[in-house]
Amino acid sequence: MIIDAEKTHSAHWGVFTARYDGRRLRVRPHPGDPDPSPVLDNIPSAVGHPARVAAPAVRRGWWERGPGRDPGRGRDGYRTVSWEAVLDRLAEETHRVRSTHGDEAVYGGSYGWASAGRFHHAQGQLHRFLAVTGGYTRSVNSYSGGAAEVLLPQILGGFDAVTRYAVTWDQVAAHTDTVLAFGGMALKNSGIAAGGVSRHVERGAMRAARDRGAMFVLVSPLRPDLPEEVDATWLPIRPGTDVALMLALMHTVVAEGRHDTDFLASHCDGWETLREYLFAAPAKDAAWASAITGIDASAIRELAWRIAYGRTLVTVAQSLQRAEHGEQPVWGGTALAAVLGQIGLPGGGFNYGLGSLGHYGRPRNAVPVPSFSRAPNPVNSFIPVARVADMLLHPGGTYDYDGAERTYPHVRMAWWAGGNPFHHHQDLRRLRRAVAELDTFAVHDPVWTATARHADVVLPSTMTIERDDIGATSSDALLVAMKQLVPVHGEARDDYDVLSALAHRLGHGEAFTEGRTAHEWLVHMYDRTRKALADRGEPAPDFEEFWERGELELPRRPDDGGVLARFRADPEGHPLPTPSGRVQVGSATIAGHGYDDCPGHPAWREPTEAPDERHPFWLVSNQPATRLHSQLDFGAHSSGSKRSGREVVRIHPDDAGPLGIADGDVVRLHNDRGATLAAARLTDDIRPGVLQLPTGAWWAPTADPERPELGDDGLCAHGNPNAVTRDRGSSRFAQGCTGQLCAVAVSRFDHPLPAVEVHRAPEAP
Ligand SMILES: Nc1nc2c(c(=O)[nH]1)N[C@H]1C(S)=C(S)[C@@H](COP(=O)(O)OP(=O)(O)OC[C@H]3O[C@@H](n4cnc5c(=O)[nH]c(N)nc54)[C@H](O)[C@@H]3O)O[C@H]1N2
Ligand SMILES: Nc1nc2c(c(=O)[nH]1)N[C@H]1C(S)=C(S)[C@@H](COP(=O)(O)OP(=O)(O)OC[C@H]3O[C@@H](n4cnc5c(=O)[nH]c(N)nc54)[C@H](O)[C@@H]3O)O[C@H]1N2
Ligand SMILES: [Mo]
């Protein structure tokens, strides 16, 4: 490894260059990035950090007593063992589970973001390993968009088609008159793109639209969800009620005869059903919605007037559907855009998730980007991803999903690489009980996350900065040579090497590696892109030249509005993939499932958990501004945003005052499920009655002095909201994650403060 040279690399939060002098790593954003993400500042702290897993580790209880149900997970100590010993034992255990209980007894859903490189992508590696060695129970959908992923193909189009490649930022800058953003389009969120992002264009595009006279309307409990520069009109809505506002906007537009009857007739299906619901008692008018949403009826009527003229774009952030009945605002936003007749127009209509992620709203590359080869999974067993604790706690239990009744498999072994369920799942104390049911839990991670601390076997992975890879995504034009920047930490190994060694022990080594080294895989993966470039007659440098240059700009397809624009122009010739081929503003298919919590048209349903006397606040647990999820939580930028080492909860002064909470106080957020500490920040940028605590502070369970009966994990000392969130599906239809919203109480914490000690390896007992 050559040190002290400037090298290219990439993270989900941006392309960068870095220089390592043998001690320190200096990181600089890519010179072509107009608005780099400050999350880059977390990277240098990772080098040699005490949170790293330095050598393979096994949980004592598992190593000494063997596999089996064990509430000691999360509580036991660890000991270091050799790679040879741990790989032998793990291969043996995998074989035992499969031969005793069948291949579906291995859970390899392994949800998570891992790192940006396309070869060393931990999930892809693990799935391939589990597939070639016999198969596994997989997961479907994501925590990000679980409700929308099941709904959108039924009502509008494929998930990628209506997030990535429909309305682009260039179109917003050039064409949109009114941007109606439900949940906003926070720059903190679009800073992140799966596979990396070379140019953060969102701020510039919004500013250009604003300079042209476009109006931005922010519907959100939090003001910073749109950048200050766009001067948005802020409608601080009560969380979880957006569909009521959407219904009232439709009602008002229709009552005044300003809906697009032609578009509804020629391009939509189910309008009669929806129309009937809008006007049936109680009429879904502005006064009705005002009582539910907390937004003035006059403001709703004024907004309905505004959006019916000119080019209007409705966006719905992913957060809205990460909640109970989360399908409804996605459907409501689609239907609203259809009523306005705007779907498929440049800069108009509906773009699901625009602004939630940096890889949305951009033209598509004209050539495929490198990706690691999948292997077919011979087992056809799956769960919707966020139902993992239900599966472990109720093997053989039944549940509804997408029109079918399904049965949970009996999983004995779970395997995780590149994800952190003890960050991302809801109700972490319940997840701990679920994981206790396993025979064996194997985790690959570079750092001692809360998940690693629940594993029986911890396999130390290299970090992305310790290996060569290729960064790419289909909606970013830059292919990046991700070069190794620093030496490998301790005994860490690439996931590929670990899984190759295990595959060999299980007799499938050749099938897993196809005889390639990691470097040979990179060349192989790059070759697909090179060939496609050559076929188009474009410059197609060979791998060595690409690597030498550090990057390659790919050609892009025209920014033509994609499937929605083609459908608008010719609904018969380019039908949508929905049951009718049209926009389903109502759906006989979904109605046919008979789910009251997701009926056959967008509808308002009361949530079954909402603030009440005991738990008077909505807690919004949104994505953190200072990191990606839980990754590099110990990094300089993430740590710098904490107060006294704890995550910050935002609270309105009118709420804090009567509770005797001052800025900087440590508070306890709690409900029946558990509690977490956080440091209070008082701000009037939040709707009263709402608290906001981002995700990602590593779970630090300890006893709660206010509720000792909960045992040793009643309180998170650090500020992880999943200590209190609810583990339940969005509806019987989609079963998406509902982590964004839950009801809590808040009080000042006047007990001695428990230390936060999770950013280092657990002590040997
Ligand atoms: N309450 C609440 N909860 C939520 C959400 C919410 O809004 N509210 N949002 C949800 C959403 S949208 C998401 S996407 C999830 C995110 O949840 P995750 O994707 O699970 O979160 P990350 O912190 O990105 O976890 C990635 C893990 O991979 C590890 N890693 C990185 N590189 C490598 C590698 O090369 N090899 C290996 N083996 N490991 C690696 C990191 O150290 C880290 O532990 O959280 C969800 N949880
Ligand atoms: N910096 C950073 N960016 C990220 C990520 C990260 O971890 N860090 N994660 C990435 C991932 S994996 C994903 S899936 C996306 C997620 O993208 P989103 O889900 O859009 O992101 P969030 O920040 O969770 O939510 C956006 C905003 O929605 C608002 N909101 C919450 N509930 C409601 C509601 O009921 N109604 C309305 N109108 N607004 C509401 C909140 O104020 C919140 O700030 O973010 C991506 N971007
Ligand atoms: Mo996500």
Side-chain angles (χ1 to χ4, degrees):
M1 224 202 82
I2 303 163
I3 64 165
D4 233 5
E6 193 82 6
K7 295 178 188 169
T8 47
H9 207 81
S10 183
H12 293 303
W13 45 95
V15 180
F16 61 96
T17 61
R19 181 186 288 267
Y20 180 64
D21 64 9
R23 275 186 327 119
R24 284 184 51 199
L25 184 68
R26 280 187 192 74
V27 166
R28 286 193 296 191
H30 189 272
D33 191 340
D35 190 22
S37 164
V39 176
L40 283 174
D41 293 343
N42 285 332
I43 294 174
S45 332
V47 181
H49 195 277
R52 291 296 300 271
V53 187
V58 290
R59 190 174 65 79
R60 282 186 183 277
W62 184 86
W63 190 254
E64 285 156 17
R65 292 192 298 275
R69 186 181 178 280
D70 192 347
R73 286 195 187 94
R75 299 181 164 103
D76 252 6
Y78 286 85
R79 57 170 282 192
T80 295
V81 288
S82 73
W83 273 111
E84 290 307 302
V86 79
L87 293 174
D88 285 347
R89 183 83 175 261
L90 194 53
E92 218 175 88
E93 170 63 357
T94 309
H95 180 71
R96 182 195 69 86
V97 168
R98 283 186 160 145
S99 52
T100 323
H101 303 291
D103 295 315
E104 74 163 31
V106 177
Y107 182 63
S110 184
Y111 182 76
W113 266 63
S115 291
R118 297 298 88 184
F119 171 64
H120 291 288
H121 187 248
Q123 260 202 67
Q125 291 284 347
L126 181 65
H127 292 161
R128 185 179 159 85
F129 161 76
L130 291 174
V132 302
T133 55
Y136 61 102
T137 293
R138 71 190 195 282
S139 64
V140 297
N141 311 327
S142 67
Y143 279 73
S144 316
E149 281 157 343
V150 183
L151 178 70
L152 282 169
Q154 285 293 328
I155 63 161
L156 186 61
F159 194 77
D160 278 355
V162 302
T163 54
R164 288 182 178 229
Y165 317 118
V167 177
T168 59
W169 286 105
D170 288 343
Q171 294 173 28
V172 172
H175 299 287
T176 315
D177 296 315
T178 304
V179 178
L180 174 52
F182 290 91
M185 299 191 282
L187 293 175
K188 72 169 175 74
N189 286 347
S190 52
I192 304 287
V197 49
S198 61
R199 298 181 67 243
H200 290 89
V201 299
E202 290 78 4
R203 188 194 302 271
M206 285 194 250
R207 194 185 282 150
R210 175 69 200 161
D211 289 348
R212 197 176 35 74
M215 178 185 178
F216 286 76
V217 181
L218 169 65
V219 181
S220 171
L222 249 73
R223 197 202 299 265
D225 283 339
L226 275 181
E228 239 171 77
E229 339 20 357
V230 304
D231 227 349
T233 302
W234 182 31
L235 301 179
I237 195 167
R238 190 172 286 143
T241 65
D242 299 77
V243 73
L245 174 55
M246 293 161 170
L247 292 166
L249 291 170
M250 287 187 257
H251 183 282
T252 310
V253 166
V254 176
E256 294 178 8
R258 283 185 281 116
H259 55 309
D260 190 333
T261 48
D262 291 345
F263 186 81
L264 286 165
S266 57
H267 287 73
C268 300
D269 182 56
W271 172 233
E272 276 319 305
T273 320
L274 177 57
R275 189 193 164 96
E276 207 171 287
Y277 173 73
L278 291 175
F279 287 89
K284 313 304 175 296
D285 60 12
W288 170 83
S290 176
I292 295 170
T293 59
I295 295 176
D296 282 349
S298 60
I300 299 176
R301 283 190 283 265
E302 207 174 296
L303 180 59
W305 178 85
R306 167 80 203 197
I307 59 177
Y309 293 95
R311 186 64 48 82
T312 296
L313 174 65
V314 179
T315 64
V316 171
Q318 300 241 52
S319 54
L320 272 73
Q321 52 83 65
R322 215 175 301 116
E324 189 179 8
H325 308 134
E327 297 81 3
Q328 302 312 315
V330 180
W331 206 347
T334 306
L336 176 59
V339 163
L340 297 172
Q342 297 264 335
I343 289 178
L345 290 172
F350 179 68
N351 199 118
Y352 174 71
L354 189 68
S356 285
L357 284 149
H359 54 271
Y360 293 173
R362 288 149 188 262
R364 186 182 201 138
N365 293 330
V367 291
V369 295
S371 67
F372 187 47
S373 319
R374 287 159 187 263
N377 179 2
V379 172
N380 186 22
S381 167
F382 72 84
I383 57 162
V385 67
R387 302 277 46 84
V388 58
D390 287 354
M391 170 184 75
L392 297 176
L393 290 167
H394 305 293
T398 56
Y399 65 101
D400 293 304
Y401 173 71
D402 199 5
E405 189 185 83
R406 299 183 48 83
T407 304
Y408 288 120
H410 195 158
V411 160
R412 319 283 176 147
M413 177 180 203
W415 211 306
W416 234 282
N420 186 1
F422 279 88
H423 142 73
H424 70 231
H425 197 62
Q426 286 53 69
D427 195 351
L428 293 178
R429 297 179 63 241
R430 182 173 189 260
L431 182 64
R432 179 181 262 193
R433 291 196 295 278
V435 159
E437 296 297 320
L438 289 165
D439 285 359
T440 295
F441 187 23
V443 171
H444 306 236
D445 209 293
V447 286
W448 278 104
T449 61
T451 301
R453 288 165 200 262
H454 285 76
D456 300 316
V457 180
V458 185
L459 303 153
S461 309
T462 51
M463 274 193 167
T464 174
I465 53 176
E466 296 163 1
R467 60 200 186 214
D468 290 343
D469 210 329
I470 299 175
T473 188
S474 61
S475 52
D476 190 283
L478 210 64
L479 202 65
V480 183
M482 296 171 59
K483 300 182 182 176
Q484 183 179 355
L485 304 174
V486 296
V488 170
H489 181 84
E491 292 180 34
R493 290 188 183 174
D494 293 350
D495 297 315
Y496 179 66
D497 292 341
V498 176
L499 295 168
S500 302
L502 285 163
H504 279 294
R505 279 169 172 74
L506 292 166
H508 298 278
E510 192 64 18
F512 179 71
T513 65
E514 293 180 15
R516 293 191 187 92
T517 63
H519 179 78
E520 286 162 351
W521 271 105
L522 294 184
V523 176
H524 172 73
M525 286 165 52
Y526 172 80
D527 210 45
R528 171 165 172 246
T529 304
R530 190 193 59 74
K531 281 203 182 102
L533 286 167
D535 288 349
R536 286 172 54 96
E538 310 261 357
D542 62 20
F543 182 83
E544 282 65 34
E545 191 184 336
F546 157 64
W547 199 255
E548 180 65 29
R549 278 201 230 158
E551 61 181 57
L552 180 65
E553 183 92 17
L554 302 176
R556 322 196 85 180
R557 291 196 198 168
D559 180 12
D560 61 3
V563 296
L564 296 182
R566 286 195 285 282
F567 161 70
R568 182 181 185 93
D570 179 7
E572 308 302 327
H574 294 283
L576 298 174
T578 62
S580 65
R582 298 175 171 204
V583 181
Q584 302 277 178
V585 297
S587 163
T589 307
I590 295 174
H593 299 331
Y595 301 144
D596 186 59
D597 57 3
C598 187
H601 53 78
W604 164 246
R605 289 287 184 271
E606 292 276 352
T608 57
E609 175 170 310
D612 58 15
E613 266 173 31
R614 288 181 61 230
H615 305 115
F617 292 92
W618 270 123
L619 175 64
V620 169
S621 61
N622 61 350
Q623 307 292 27
T626 56
R627 58 186 172 256
L628 173 62
H629 312 137
S630 70
Q631 295 195 33
L632 309 182
D633 182 34
F634 46 75
H637 189 57
S638 174
S639 306
S641 74
K642 300 188 192 227
R643 281 186 167 184
S644 49
R646 270 163 256 269
E647 204 60 31
V648 168
V649 61
R650 284 176 178 71
I651 176 166
H652 195 281
D654 294 350
D655 291 329
L659 295 168
I661 295 170
D663 196 69
D665 280 354
V666 173
V667 296
R668 176 173 165 270
L669 313 181
H670 55 100
N671 57 27
D672 291 340
R673 291 177 289 267
T676 183
L677 298 182
R681 173 161 295 147
L682 272 48
T683 170
D684 53 16
D685 275 352
I686 192 165
R687 180 190 161 87
V690 178
L691 309 175
Q692 177 258 334
L693 176 67
T695 63
W698 288 11
W699 190 42
T702 185
D704 184 351
E706 302 267 336
R707 286 183 78 196
E709 72 277 12
L710 292 186
D712 61 359
D713 58 8
L715 179 72
C716 172
H718 190 187
N720 188 311
N722 284 321
V724 292
T725 53
R726 184 162 70 148
D727 185 5
R728 128 176 211 141
S730 56
S731 77
R732 292 164 66 194
F733 175 57
Q735 299 285 6
C737 151
T738 59
Q740 182 85 192
L741 301 177
C742 68
V744 295
V746 60
S747 51
R748 223 176 48 212
F749 187 74
D750 292 327
H751 302 270
L753 289 174
V756 179
E757 293 173 325
V758 283
H759 286 158
R760 55 179 168 76
E763 272 168 44

